[in-house]
Amino acid sequence: MHGAQASVCIAAALGSPARLRKAINCRFTPAELFHTALRAVNQDLEKRGKPFAELPVEAQDAYLKSSRRWRDLDGVPSAVFFEMLLKMTVEGFFSDPVYGGNRNMVAWRMIGFPGAYADYYEAIDRHGVKFEREPMSLAEDGKGRIHVHQNIPANLT
């Protein structure tokens, strides 16, 4: 981070806790924030002897609950990590499946969202009528298959 961006982030840190979180988020891209925090979690658990994925579900829950309180995850406060994790989880759940979330458009079906139809011409003059269609993704072909592009951030390692 350089120059004007650093100044904006420093100025944002002055004041409320919300401003502090904003300043911390300025320091990391979302990907860097997740990589940094998850690396710290994995290192902590390696010291304890078992990776997160190998812990029983109850132990995973207990670890995550204890980590929600103030904890430094290699420069990322745990509260910021969990706030961002919740936001990104919700965003992924409701996004177009082309981006790697909302598998089978389950979230859209749940809320009755029709998705990304290119044309609503036949429905434009039907007022007060419930719009009922199966959801459609931006990347859906004529046979209903969704083609997730391999170069989107969700697929990059």
Side-chain angles (χ1 to χ4, degrees), residues 91-102:
E91 187 174 309
F93 184 66
F94 288 103
S95 69
D96 192 294
V98 71
Y99 301 110
N102 193 9

Side-chain angles (χ1 to χ4, degrees), residues 8-107:
V8 169
C9 290
I10 290 167
L14 303 173
S16 71
R19 288 185 177 161
L20 176 59
R21 282 194 300 277
K22 184 176 181 180
I24 291 164
N25 288 339
C26 286
R27 219 177 108 201
F28 298 102
T29 66
E32 290 168 342
L33 185 140
F34 282 112
H35 286 271
T36 302
L38 291 172
R39 185 174 40 250
V41 166
N42 287 331
Q43 289 170 350
D44 181 45
L45 287 169
E46 283 175 13
K47 291 177 194 171
R48 298 174 190 215
K50 270 196 175 180
F52 185 83
E54 292 179 17
L55 293 173
V57 172
E58 297 81 16
Q60 289 177 343
D61 286 346
Y63 182 83
L64 291 173
K65 284 178 184 173
S66 71
S67 296
R68 284 177 53 189
R69 289 183 230 109
W70 177 260
R71 202 169 149 224
D72 179 33
L73 300 172
D74 198 19
V76 178
S78 56
V80 171
F81 169 67
F82 281 102
E83 182 179 326
M84 188 71 137
L85 179 62
L86 176 61
K87 286 179 183 179
M88 293 294 187
T89 300
V90 170
E91 187 174 309
F93 184 66
F94 288 103
S95 69
D96 192 294
V98 71
Y99 301 110
N102 193 9
R103 181 166 289 155
N104 298 321
M105 295 175 271
V106 68

Side-chain angles (χ1 to χ4, degrees), residues 98-140:
V98 71
Y99 301 110
N102 193 9
R103 181 166 289 155
N104 298 321
M105 295 175 271
V106 68
W108 290 357
R109 292 181 205 295
M110 179 181 75
I111 63 172
F113 180 64
Y117 280 88
D119 181 2
Y120 291 93
Y121 182 76
E122 75 284 349
I124 199 80
D125 290 325
R126 294 181 0 202
H127 302 282
V129 176
K130 186 175 181 182
F131 189 78
E132 293 185 9
R133 281 190 177 172
E134 281 295 304
M136 176 179 264
S137 168
L138 290 169
E140 193 168 329

